[in-house]
């Protein structure tokens, strides 16, 4: 698995409000970090509950989130990432990075996009 494949699966989860294909790519000991939350989330079961709930809430509230592929240009340049847009501006509200161990996603990081100067990379 590559970061690009992880990012594509994450984009697909948001596009279809169906997280299962993405969640099946997670390692059992996956960690999730967000720069907006102080504590790291550890374990697939916790992340599955969190992400499934998040997608359901957004879908029910009809608050569309656009997810598109991106590339970082600063901090950790040239990494595949996902850009999330919830506001009506052209600037992403969040950036998601992935770490891969073997064939599974071992880490998901929700970051402040400005730190990475991302560019759009398609989908």
């Amino acid at each position: 698995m590559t970061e690009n494949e992880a990012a594509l699966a994450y984009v697909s989860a948001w596009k279809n409000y169906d997280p299962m294909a993405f969640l099946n790519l997670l390692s059992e000991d996956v960690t999730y970090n967000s720069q907006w939350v102080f504590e790291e989330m550890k374990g697939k079961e916790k992340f599955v509950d969190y992400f499934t709930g998040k997608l359901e809430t957004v879908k029910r509230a009809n608050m569309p989130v656009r997810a598109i592929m991106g590339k970082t240009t600063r901090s950790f340049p040239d990494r595949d990432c996902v850009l999330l847009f919830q506001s009506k501006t052209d600037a992403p509200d969040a950036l998601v990075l992935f770490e891969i161990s073997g064939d599974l996603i071992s880490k998901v990081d929700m970051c402040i996009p400005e730190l990475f100067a991302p560019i759009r990379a398609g989908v």
Side-chain angles (χ1 to χ4, degrees):
M1 165 166 312
T2 65
E3 287 180 352
N4 185 268
E5 291 167 326
L8 282 170
Y10 193 82
V11 166
S12 179
W14 277 106
K15 181 180 180 206
N16 301 312
Y17 294 108
D18 181 2
M20 293 317 296
F22 174 73
L23 296 175
N24 287 334
L25 301 175
L26 300 176
S27 68
E28 288 300 321
D29 59 349
V30 66
T31 58
Y32 171 76
N33 288 293
S34 171
Q35 290 185 312
W36 292 274
V37 178
F38 291 113
E39 197 167 305
E40 180 176 72
M41 183 185 303
K42 296 180 182 182
K44 184 175 181 176
E45 187 175 327
K46 286 182 182 179
F47 186 83
V48 167
D49 290 344
Y50 161 76
F51 192 60
T52 303
K54 187 171 195 160
L55 286 177
E56 282 300 316
T57 298
V58 168
K59 183 179 178 181
R60 247 190 338 267
N62 196 23
M63 304 180 315
V65 172
R66 291 179 299 132
I68 65 169
M69 297 293 290
K71 285 273 194 190
T72 60
T73 65
R74 187 174 56 213
S75 297
F76 298 100
D78 204 35
R79 286 191 60 191
D80 292 305
C81 63
V82 174
L83 306 175
L84 296 176
F85 299 82
Q86 193 163 10
S87 61
K88 301 218 184 270
T89 68
D90 284 337
D93 297 298
L95 177 142
V96 184
L97 291 169
F98 308 91
E99 287 185 21
I100 310 301
S101 293
D103 287 334
L104 296 172
I105 300 166
S106 59
K107 189 170 187 180
V108 179
D109 288 314
M110 178 86 59
C111 305
I112 298 167
E114 292 80 8
L115 299 175
F116 299 92
I119 58 171
R120 296 172 190 227
V123 185

